[in-house]
Amino acid sequence: MQLAITTAVISLFVFHAPTIKWVLANVWIYYVSIAALLVTMIALACCEGLRRKSPGNFILLAIFTACMSLVLGVTCAFFETWEVMLAVGITGEFLIEQDLNNNNYKL
């Protein structure tokens, strides 16, 4: 679910021209997302009660996913579409190779 949400947000920032223009004019959203991401990561790392109990951990996970999606989307808005697709392809190829490599070496 996280990957689907992140992909949808990145697609919006890469393919929707008004969104790209807005992001390039309002870079503050990147900094706000980074700050919220850091606060969420610290809360997940330091507050054991939040990460172990049910609605708190789901809320933090949703906030983390939203912030990470915004950070990645804003970052991708600064690049051309082919560059983003090249990065997706290289990452996918690397993950498939790692999976095949790990399946060959069972302990």
Side-chain angles (χ1 to χ4, degrees), residues 1-8 60-62 64-66 68-69:
M1 188 65 163
Q2 287 177 301
L3 190 58
I5 292 170
T6 304
T7 303
L60 284 175
L61 182 63
F64 177 80
T65 302
M68 184 59 79
S69 298

Side-chain angles (χ1 to χ4, degrees), residues 14-37:
V14 169
F15 295 115
H16 191 246
T19 304
I20 295 170
K21 289 179 184 176
W22 185 83
V23 166
L24 295 177
N26 300 297
V27 183
W28 59 267
I29 193 158
Y30 179 77
Y31 297 114
V32 170
S33 297
I34 288 280
L37 183 66

Side-chain angles (χ1 to χ4, degrees), residues 66-86:
C67 292
M68 184 59 79
S69 298
L70 279 173
V71 167
L72 291 172
V74 171
T75 303
C76 289
F78 287 96
F79 293 96
E80 296 292 326
T81 304
W82 70 270
E83 294 170 323
V84 175
M85 292 299 137
L86 181 65

